[in-house]
Amino acid sequence: MIRFADDFLLGFTNKEDPLRVMEVLLKRLSKYGMTLHPDKTRLIDLDDDGEGHPRTTFDFLGFTYYISKSRNGKRILKRKTSSKKLNAALKRLSDWIKFYRHKLPIAELIASLNQKLRGHYAYCGITFNIRKLHTYYNRTKRLLHKWLNHRGGKRVWTWAKIAKLTMEWIPLTRPKVYHSYQSSKS
């Protein structure tokens, strides 16, 4: 069971168990005048199709969960940042850079941007999610390039200059996995 505030997720290994639990859970909740949200409540079978492809995925707390194989061939549940949440985070970041590109010197802009990157990595920096972290990092550089070139006048920020700025002069915080829930032996 995974629970956060009023959201929860139950996992079962036996296919009959979720049906029994659902019956009991509905009765117990109705006893207290509560119900399950019909759009958020569903039973999902994560067994693969025999070729290693998951039949379905589900989103929970900003992550997409799916079955895949570990390096040693065992089937495991993996998580990655939900595409919907990633795009929403990038939209907020774009709006932020657009608003502050004139108000802050570039060093302060990147220092504040690094705080935002560290916050994103702290929440989304989980095992198996490094690709989505790199996507966020690279798209952040592209947004910085776009909005610095929209500050008026000529476009002085070439991609090579942005790369030097974000990697050498005032480096952007690189992606990092902060939370590893898999032991090194699995």
Side-chain angles (χ1 to χ4, degrees):
M1 178 175 177
I2 301 170
R3 184 182 68 80
F4 183 80
D6 63 343
D7 293 327
F8 63 93
L9 177 69
L10 301 172
F12 300 92
T13 54
N14 195 345
K15 292 185 182 206
E16 296 79 33
D17 290 344
L19 299 173
R20 288 191 305 223
V21 168
M22 188 67 92
E23 279 181 41
V24 173
L25 188 60
L26 290 172
K27 288 177 187 174
R28 169 114 3 138
L29 289 174
S30 67
K31 182 177 172 182
Y32 297 103
M34 298 167 52
T35 61
L36 293 174
H37 194 289
D39 295 338
K40 292 184 173 183
T41 305
R42 57 193 171 129
L43 297 174
I44 300 171
D45 184 0
L46 290 175
D47 280 336
D48 64 19
D49 62 4
E51 295 185 13
H53 305 303
R55 288 189 180 157
T56 189
T57 63
F58 63 93
D59 288 355
F60 184 67
L61 300 177
F63 294 99
T64 299
Y65 290 74
Y66 61 100
I67 294 289
S68 187
K69 292 197 178 191
S70 68
R71 288 181 183 175
N72 59 5
K74 292 182 183 175
R75 294 181 64 234
I76 56 174
L77 184 65
K78 291 185 176 183
R79 299 181 289 179
K80 63 182 177 182
T81 305
S82 157
S83 295
K84 181 179 170 185
K85 296 295 181 180
L86 180 65
N87 289 334
L90 287 166
K91 171 71 173 115
R92 285 191 308 274
L93 192 64
S94 178
D95 293 343
W96 184 87
I97 295 170
K98 180 181 178 182
F99 183 78
Y100 284 103
R101 66 188 164 166
H102 294 299
K103 299 184 183 329
L104 298 174
I106 289 178
E108 287 180 37
L109 181 75
I110 291 181
S112 295
L113 199 51
N114 278 335
Q115 287 180 325
K116 293 184 174 304
L117 287 169
R118 280 191 298 275
H120 182 81
Y121 301 154
Y123 184 76
C124 296
I126 58 172
T127 307
F128 308 120
N129 197 32
I130 195 69
R131 283 185 180 164
K132 292 283 189 171
L133 294 179
H134 278 287
T135 297
Y136 190 77
Y137 172 79
N138 290 325
R139 300 262 309 267
T140 298
K141 284 199 303 190
R142 295 229 176 257
L143 289 170
L144 194 59
H145 178 245
K146 172 185 175 179
W147 291 118
L148 287 180
N149 274 321
H150 283 85
R151 293 194 331 168
K154 339 190 275 193
R155 294 179 182 232
V156 295
W157 290 98
T158 63
W159 182 247
K161 199 170 176 183
I162 286 289
K164 268 211 175 298
L165 172 71
T166 59
M167 297 175 88
E168 293 177 26
W169 301 334
I170 312 170
L172 280 178
T173 302
R174 304 277 304 168
K176 177 180 170 184
V177 171
Y178 285 87
H179 311 284
S180 178
Y181 71 92
Q182 296 290 322
S183 69
S184 59
K185 296 176 184 169
S186 62

